[in-house]
Amino acid sequence: GWREREFHNHDGYGGPILMASSACMRPLVGVHELCYIAGRKRVNTRWLDGIGGIGLAWWIGDDGSTSKASLTLHTEGFPRDSVELIADWFGKRYGKCSIVKSKKYYTVNILADARAALWTDIADHVPECMQYKVGACRKSHEKHVDGGGVRHHS
């Protein structure tokens, strides 16, 4: 079930645009039904509760970025109500996080103490090639465990 299409690049950057698509594997149909409601990508508590440490590690590896102050989940593809649900879910499990609006999209920022708590769930599941994305999580955890206390301002 593989299809390929080629489009002319009307923006003038680079060459032609190549697109490929394939049918979804049958075991993934249930995941799609869980994540899409009326054709729109949505997040729900059932999905979040089932993600586990491996899923969180992959999600952060794919859509995460870190700074000294926070871990950002780039949730631009989700509507605001889903982003609020994600922020609430992370907040209840790991600690303080916030929603940031940039232009018309929303991201979730998981602050330093929460990031340190999150590290305990994902540490064993982050592949070597993604360690650079979670280095700040590990450092926050080490400071927290060593009693250095990570502080943040609201």
Side-chain angles (χ1 to χ4, degrees), residues 20-37:
S21 61
S22 65
C24 183
M25 294 171 47
R26 184 160 305 283
L28 297 178
V29 170
V31 173
H32 184 273
E33 290 171 353
L34 181 62
C35 297
Y36 283 81
I37 299 169

Side-chain angles (χ1 to χ4, degrees), residues 41-44 47-65 71-78 82-83 85-87 89-90 94 107-108 110 118 122 125-127 130 133-134:
K41 188 182 340 180
R42 295 280 192 215
V43 174
N44 57 57
W47 181 82
L48 289 167
D49 287 344
I51 196 167
I54 293 172
L56 286 173
W58 279 82
W59 189 6
I60 292 165
D62 184 39
D63 290 328
S65 62
L71 165 69
T72 300
L73 277 178
H74 295 276
T75 51
E76 291 93 335
F78 295 107
S82 289
V83 176
L85 182 64
I86 293 167
W89 187 87
F90 273 96
Y94 301 108
T107 59
V108 175
I110 302 164
L118 173 63
I122 67 170
H125 308 294
V126 179
M130 289 291 133
K133 284 197 168 193
V134 295

Side-chain angles (χ1 to χ4, degrees), residues 90-135:
F90 273 96
K92 287 175 185 170
R93 278 154 189 76
Y94 301 108
K96 190 170 184 179
C97 61
S98 62
I99 297 172
V100 176
K101 182 178 182 185
S102 62
K103 297 182 183 176
K104 62 179 184 173
Y105 299 111
Y106 302 93
T107 59
V108 175
N109 282 7
I110 302 164
L111 302 182
D113 283 341
R115 183 175 64 186
L118 173 63
W119 178 250
T120 61
D121 283 350
I122 67 170
D124 293 336
H125 308 294
V126 179
E128 184 65 35
C129 62
M130 289 291 133
Q131 289 289 323
Y132 76 96
K133 284 197 168 193
V134 295

